[in-house]
Amino acid sequence: MDVRVKPVYRGIVILVLLIGAVAMCIPFVWMILSSFKPESEVTSLTPSFWPQQPTMHNFERLFTEMNFGGYLINTLIIVFFSFIGLLLNAAAGYAFAKFKFPGRNVLYYLVLGTMMIPSQVTMIPVYLILNKMHLTNTMAGIVLPGMVNAFGIFLFRQFMTTIPNDLIEASRLDGAGEIRTFFQLIIPIAKPIFAVQGILTFIGGWNSFLWPLIVANDESLYTLSVGLQLLKGQYGGDFAIQMAGASFMVIPILIIFIFAQRHIIEGYTISGMK
């Protein structure tokens, strides 16, 4: 094949990918723009792509007619404790990577084995345990089961095996304890994987839906995702406020992913090198 033909094929591939990307973005752009339209404009027989009369009224209704302020606070609480769990995952990964203790490999393989079990399988046993501890319908019952996860421990362990043992030994010889070594030496070195896990942790906490819906019976404990589902039921015919609620959920995730996608790819690459 003539080498001069290759740029033509490359251009065709790029064009097809661009068309596909635009086609995938159109629903999101439509949703965001519709959230700034009045209801009459959204349901018009001749809908317009751009808002003709931009308004913030739909977002105001989320907080005045529904308890989206409370849902937002609950979601941020889950995200906050998820970040605390991020430190626990890092500590566990550090222990598996750099400490030798009886049963280390067996315990690590058991942790990895839990990744093979679908989360839906463990929901009923976890719920029964929380019920025995009187933690159902509480924020603690929502937060605690998700603070530590096997995938996070695996990523941290894979990264921390690449840290030279000489650095850790030098820190100990300087008189630093294990906790000081972890916070002042290991965490700064592990910033790339912390960035990746922090982003994924935020996305997971922000989108938490099924577990809060199962554990919480009180609407005051619901998250934004659950509130969005309630919005769909209570305002099934009001498409403008539904678009506002969906945009309120999606926009932060889109912003974080756009600016952090490079860190996510780099973090997975670094963790898989060992």
Side-chain angles (χ1 to χ4, degrees):
M1 182 181 291
D2 191 348
V3 294
R4 291 175 296 180
V5 181
K6 291 184 179 179
V8 176
Y9 283 98
R10 184 165 49 224
I12 294 174
V13 171
I14 293 174
L15 180 61
V16 171
L17 292 176
L18 286 175
I19 293 173
V22 171
M24 292 186 64
C25 290
I26 286 177
F28 291 100
V29 176
W30 179 272
M31 174 189 69
I32 294 172
L33 293 177
S34 296
S35 65
F36 294 98
K37 300 177 182 177
E39 178 65 20
S40 59
E41 193 173 327
V42 174
T43 57
S44 174
L45 294 178
T46 56
S48 58
F49 189 75
W50 296 99
Q52 302 300 313
Q53 298 176 341
T55 177
M56 295 291 294
H57 181 62
N58 297 320
F59 292 95
E60 294 174 0
R61 293 177 61 193
L62 292 176
F63 294 90
T64 56
E65 298 181 18
M66 293 194 69
N67 188 26
F68 256 66
Y71 303 153
L72 176 60
I73 293 174
N74 294 336
T75 304
L76 292 177
I77 291 175
I78 294 175
V79 171
F80 172 76
F81 281 99
S82 297
F83 278 111
I84 295 179
L86 186 64
L87 286 175
L88 299 179
N89 288 333
Y94 174 59
F96 281 123
K98 296 301 180 182
F99 287 88
K100 294 182 180 180
F101 52 88
R104 181 186 68 170
N105 292 334
V106 174
L107 183 58
Y108 179 65
Y109 291 137
L110 286 175
V111 171
L112 291 184
T114 61
M115 296 173 60
M116 309 297 176
I117 304 174
S119 59
Q120 293 81 359
V121 175
T122 60
M123 281 184 176
I124 294 177
V126 173
Y127 180 87
L128 294 176
I129 293 173
L130 292 176
N131 190 42
K132 289 290 185 180
M133 299 173 65
H134 305 286
L135 291 178
T136 54
N137 201 33
T138 64
M139 184 56 66
I142 297 175
V143 169
L144 289 177
M147 288 186 67
V148 179
N149 62 85
F151 182 66
I153 294 174
F154 167 74
L155 285 183
F156 278 111
R157 188 260 183 189
Q158 289 298 100
F159 181 89
M160 290 178 181
T161 53
T162 64
I163 299 176
N165 292 329
D166 293 341
L167 289 176
I168 300 174
E169 292 297 332
S171 175
R172 291 169 179 166
L173 290 175
D174 288 339
E178 297 299 335
I179 295 178
R180 183 180 176 184
T181 299
F182 177 72
F183 281 97
Q184 294 188 356
L185 177 65
I186 302 301
I187 290 181
I189 295 176
K191 279 183 179 179
I193 195 64
F194 266 99
V196 175
Q197 280 297 95
I199 294 164
L200 297 179
T201 297
F202 175 83
I203 293 175
W206 185 264
N207 291 331
S208 54
F209 170 75
L210 186 57
W211 184 246
L213 185 63
I214 293 174
V215 174
N217 299 323
D218 191 350
E219 186 178 339
S220 63
L221 295 174
Y222 286 168
T223 60
L224 284 173
S225 295
V226 180
L228 186 62
Q229 186 66 25
L230 295 177
L231 182 66
K232 181 180 178 181
Q234 297 179 15
Y235 296 87
D238 196 336
F239 299 107
I241 192 173
Q242 289 188 56
M243 294 297 102
S247 299
F248 189 79
M249 278 289 303
V250 170
I251 289 176
I253 302 298
L254 288 177
I255 293 174
I256 289 177
F257 182 77
I258 289 172
F259 287 99
Q261 56 180 324
R262 179 173 60 86
H263 297 289
I264 295 176
I265 296 173
E266 287 180 355
Y268 281 128
T269 303
I270 293 172
S271 298
M273 287 175 62
K274 183 64 177 178

